[in-house]
Coordinates of all heavy atoms in Angstrom, one line a residue:
Chain A
D178 N -73.9 -73.4 6.9 CA -73.2 -72.2 6.5 C -73.3 -71.0 7.4 O -73.0 -69.9 7.0 CB -73.7 -71.7 5.1 CG -72.9 -72.3 3.9 OD1 -71.9 -72.9 4.3 OD2 -73.4 -72.2 2.9
N179 N -73.5 -71.3 8.7 CA -73.7 -70.2 9.6 C -72.2 -69.8 10.0 O -71.4 -70.7 10.3 CB -74.3 -70.8 10.8 CG -74.8 -69.7 11.7 OD1 -74.1 -68.7 11.9 ND2 -76.0 -69.9 12.3
Q180 N -72.0 -68.5 9.9 CA -70.6 -68.1 10.2 C -70.3 -67.8 11.7 O -69.4 -67.0 12.0 CB -70.3 -66.9 9.3 CG -70.4 -67.2 7.9 CD -69.3 -66.7 7.1 OE1 -68.3 -66.4 7.7 NE2 -69.4 -66.5 5.8
V181 N -71.1 -68.4 12.6 CA -70.8 -68.1 14.0 C -69.4 -68.8 14.3 O -69.1 -69.9 14.0 CB -71.9 -68.8 14.9 CG1 -71.5 -68.7 16.3 CG2 -73.3 -68.1 14.6
P182 N -68.5 -67.9 14.9 CA -67.2 -68.5 15.2 C -67.3 -69.6 16.2 O -68.1 -69.6 17.1 CB -66.4 -67.3 15.8 CG -67.5 -66.3 16.2 CD -68.7 -66.6 15.4
C183 N -66.4 -70.5 16.2 CA -66.4 -71.6 17.2 C -65.8 -71.0 18.5 O -65.2 -70.0 18.5 CB -65.5 -72.8 16.7 SG -63.8 -72.3 16.3
A184 N -65.9 -71.8 19.5 CA -65.5 -71.3 20.8 C -64.0 -71.0 20.7 O -63.2 -71.9 20.3 CB -65.7 -72.4 21.8
P185 N -63.6 -69.8 21.0 CA -62.2 -69.4 20.8 C -61.2 -70.2 21.7 O -61.7 -70.6 22.8 CB -62.1 -67.9 21.2 CG -63.6 -67.5 21.1 CD -64.4 -68.7 21.4
Q186 N -60.0 -70.5 21.2 CA -59.1 -71.3 21.9 C -58.2 -70.6 22.8 O -57.5 -71.1 23.7 CB -58.2 -72.2 21.0 CG -59.1 -72.9 19.9 CD -60.0 -73.9 20.6 OE1 -59.6 -74.6 21.6 NE2 -61.2 -74.0 20.1
T187 N -58.2 -69.2 22.7 CA -57.2 -68.4 23.5 C -57.6 -68.4 24.9 O -58.8 -68.5 25.3 CB -57.1 -67.0 22.9 OG1 -58.5 -66.5 23.0 CG2 -56.6 -66.9 21.6
H188 N -56.6 -68.3 25.8 CA -56.8 -68.2 27.1 C -57.1 -66.7 27.5 O -56.6 -65.7 27.0 CB -55.6 -68.6 27.9 CG -55.4 -70.0 27.8 ND1 -56.2 -71.0 28.4 CD2 -54.5 -70.8 27.1 CE1 -55.7 -72.2 28.1 NE2 -54.6 -72.0 27.3
N189 N -58.0 -66.6 28.4 CA -58.4 -65.2 28.8 C -58.4 -65.1 30.3 O -58.9 -65.9 31.0 CB -59.8 -64.9 28.2 CG -60.2 -63.5 28.4 OD1 -59.8 -62.8 29.3 ND2 -61.0 -63.0 27.5
A190 N -57.7 -64.1 30.8 CA -57.6 -64.0 32.2 C -59.0 -63.8 32.9 O -59.1 -64.2 34.0 CB -56.8 -62.7 32.6
D191 N -59.9 -63.3 32.1 CA -61.3 -63.2 32.8 C -62.2 -64.5 32.8 O -63.1 -64.5 33.4 CB -62.0 -62.1 32.0 CG -61.4 -60.7 32.2 OD1 -60.7 -60.5 33.3 OD2 -61.5 -59.9 31.3

Side-chain angles (χ1 to χ4, degrees):
Chain A
D178 265 352
N179 195 321
Q180 297 227 22
V181 172
C183 60
Q186 305 299 319
T187 53
H188 293 289
N189 190 327
D191 293 332

